[in-house]
Amino acid sequence: MIVYATHITPRLLYIWNFISHELTGKDVHITTDKNEFATHTGLCINYSQQRIQQNECWIKPHGLLFETNIQQQEIQCFQWNDLKVFFKTEGDIAFDIAAASFYLLSRYEEYLPHQKDMYGRFAHENALAYKEQFLHRPIINEWLLSFSQILQLKDSRFQPAKKMFEWLPTYDIDEAYSFKHKSLLRTFGAIVKDLFTGNIKQNSLRLKVLNQKQNDPFDAYEWMDHLHQQYQLHPKYFFLVANQNGRYDKNILPNQPAFQNLIKQHSEKYSIGIHPSWQSGDNVLLLKKELESLKKIANQEIYDSRQHFIRFSLPHTFRQLIENGITDDYSMGYGSINGFRASVASSFFWYDLENESITTLRLHPFCFMEANSFYEQKQSTHDALKEMMAYYQIVKKIEGRFITIWHNTFLGTDKKFEGWRDVYENFVKEIKS
């Protein structure tokens, strides 16, 4: 496959490489030489203002990929092949698929002035995908499926690369235990609070757990292990290892032997990553310290991350991850609603829009987190299972990668999350049967 353009920009190279990898599994060859393009014997894509030859696929550029600034874009959506698209143009396809994909994949809109949510994050209500009601679809993958059919009509020798659907279960360990292994001060404070609020049952349960008469409500690890073995799952765990507690960082401290043993046990069986604390978002030095703690405990290098509370801002957070040796991040999704934040169910390299550069940080988007279903969407267990299954079917249809987020807190025995363990187990049974 060859792409002709009048000139090559970082944006153009980035998105056509992504498209080429999705379609063929290989890097794209882009040329500014008309003669080379005209004599090419394979699939030809002309990304310029005028048609060159009859057997090409011609896409007249919208212009976004040749700009070097970040500015408000005029976007009007319309229907094409039963799909919502934008950046209308001329040629063999009704819209500039490269520019539209770049807009969504680069998270262009997150660099523009926008409203923050209560946690200071990009609010999903700002997103084009939410406003135009395609947040629930990996629409870039769907565009590319239709595009590949057009390319096959242009050149019957073109055969898209075979893709394999994959489900990757992931877990965030924000609070390893509900009662166990906490400091005397934290335990005493919790007891006093429960007495003051009249929560006698909670105090009774706490004492039973501390006296080893009952299992900790958040200790779901043995149950999770059994599920993984039974259905041959290969999950990824993200551990929060903040060196001090804060308003949103409530895990056991990493100097606790019990927490260290928990991390070691999981690092020996599963892939693990860092879950950067909320505090590290305000103090860049903390990320380095937390990484060092996790590396030392697990006795291995750490290359994967996912932001606690899905708290990140572009481009600063991802630059910090790169500076600290992170190569793969799993934060691309919303902490306020389920769906496809970047409108894709494939991994992709992060494009630093401010620096106009392709980076080495690969992003792995997720589309379902049970905490969104419970806290934000206020779903019942029945509706949550239905939604999770729907996303599974959507991603499977386009042979993408379905990444889910669950927490040990939901998979334990806490009364607050009663029934959610069943949701997860029923889902696994359904797709693995």
Side-chain angles (χ1 to χ4, degrees), residues 69-325:
N69 59 344
I70 303 171
Q71 61 185 350
Q72 198 72 44
Q73 298 291 323
E74 184 179 342
I75 295 179
Q76 292 182 337
C77 290
F78 62 99
Q79 292 295 122
W80 171 77
N81 284 7
D82 294 324
L83 297 169
K84 194 162 282 189
V85 299
F86 56 98
F87 291 158
K88 192 171 186 177
T89 187
E90 300 175 37
D92 295 316
I93 183 171
F95 75 113
D96 186 340
I97 189 172
S101 297
F102 178 82
Y103 182 85
L104 295 172
L105 213 60
S106 69
R107 305 308 304 128
Y108 194 101
E109 59 197 356
E110 298 194 33
Y111 291 82
L112 300 171
H114 59 262
Q115 186 71 34
K116 302 287 187 182
D117 70 7
M118 64 181 290
Y119 297 107
R121 306 171 299 194
F122 176 83
H124 70 261
E125 292 88 352
N126 301 314
L128 177 69
Y130 178 80
K131 293 175 183 177
E132 293 291 338
Q133 301 181 341
F134 61 83
L135 181 63
H136 63 291
R137 300 176 69 169
I139 206 157
I140 294 176
N141 300 99
E142 294 175 339
W143 290 345
L144 293 177
L145 277 175
S146 288
F147 186 46
S148 67
Q149 293 169 4
I150 292 172
L151 296 179
Q152 283 178 297
L153 290 174
K154 286 288 181 181
D155 188 338
S156 59
R157 294 169 299 175
F158 171 68
Q159 292 296 323
K162 290 184 178 180
K163 298 178 68 179
M164 292 289 290
F165 167 79
E166 178 191 3
W167 172 45
L168 176 63
T170 71
Y171 307 105
D172 289 346
I173 310 302
D174 303 337
E175 294 185 68
Y177 300 100
S178 180
F179 304 127
K180 292 197 305 183
H181 310 301
K182 295 186 176 180
S183 68
L184 288 174
L185 184 62
R186 283 186 73 185
T187 301
F188 179 73
I191 291 172
V192 171
K193 181 182 177 182
D194 286 341
L195 288 173
F196 184 75
T197 57
N199 198 344
I200 306 300
K201 288 185 178 180
Q202 183 79 345
N203 256 338
S204 176
L205 177 59
R206 178 181 288 105
L207 292 174
K208 287 179 181 178
V209 171
L210 294 178
N211 288 320
Q212 299 183 349
K213 293 181 179 180
Q214 194 162 327
N215 196 38
D216 190 280
F218 292 173
D219 187 351
Y221 307 109
E222 188 175 331
W223 180 87
M224 294 159 73
D225 282 345
H226 178 72
L227 192 73
H228 300 150
Q229 292 168 11
Q230 184 179 358
Y231 294 101
Q232 297 181 319
L233 305 179
H234 303 284
K236 189 180 291 288
Y237 284 76
F238 295 91
F239 288 93
L240 191 151
V241 290
N243 288 304
Q244 65 179 26
N245 294 126
R247 183 180 179 184
Y248 300 115
D249 302 322
K250 300 179 180 180
N251 212 348
I252 311 300
L253 298 183
N255 59 6
Q256 272 283 350
F259 190 34
Q260 292 180 2
N261 288 335
L262 185 71
I263 293 172
K264 287 176 183 177
Q265 289 167 8
H266 283 79
S267 67
E268 290 169 359
K269 292 183 288 187
Y270 307 114
S271 173
I272 70 166
I274 188 79
H275 199 39
S277 67
W278 179 279
Q279 300 163 73
S280 71
D282 299 319
N283 183 345
V284 295
L285 298 178
L286 291 181
L287 175 60
K288 184 178 181 181
K289 292 179 180 179
E290 291 172 16
L291 271 166
E292 288 173 352
S293 291
L294 187 58
K295 288 176 184 178
K296 186 176 180 181
I297 294 168
N299 192 30
Q300 62 180 247
E301 291 298 316
I302 301 296
Y303 299 107
D304 298 344
S305 73
R306 178 158 56 228
Q307 295 298 122
H308 187 34
F309 271 74
I310 315 300
R311 186 195 186 196
F312 67 84
S313 61
L314 298 175
H316 315 293
T317 305
F318 289 167
R319 285 178 183 169
Q320 290 165 15
L321 294 177
I322 293 171
E323 288 172 8
N324 283 277

Side-chain angles (χ1 to χ4, degrees), residues 323-337:
E323 288 172 8
N324 283 277
I326 295 297
T327 60
D328 294 80
D329 184 78
Y330 292 76
S331 308
M332 187 51 71
Y334 288 113
S336 51
I337 192 172

Side-chain angles (χ1 to χ4, degrees), residues 368-396:
F368 180 88
M369 176 166 63
E370 95 285 52
N372 283 340
S373 302
F374 182 79
Y375 290 110
E376 306 295 337
Q377 299 173 198
K378 310 295 183 185
Q379 289 180 333
S380 65
T381 52
H382 175 269
D383 289 340
L385 177 58
K386 187 177 178 182
E387 183 187 35
M388 190 177 181
M389 187 60 70
Y391 280 122
Y392 168 83
Q393 296 293 351
I394 288 169
V395 178
K396 189 176 183 181

Side-chain angles (χ1 to χ4, degrees), residues 347-382:
S347 67
F348 59 97
F349 287 106
W350 173 54
Y351 188 88
D352 188 333
L353 197 59
E354 277 190 358
N355 285 339
E356 295 291 357
S357 62
I358 304 166
T359 74
T360 56
L361 181 66
R362 183 173 282 279
L363 305 182
H364 302 262
F366 70 91
C367 65
F368 180 88
M369 176 166 63
E370 95 285 52
N372 283 340
S373 302
F374 182 79
Y375 290 110
E376 306 295 337
Q377 299 173 198
K378 310 295 183 185
Q379 289 180 333
S380 65
T381 52
H382 175 269

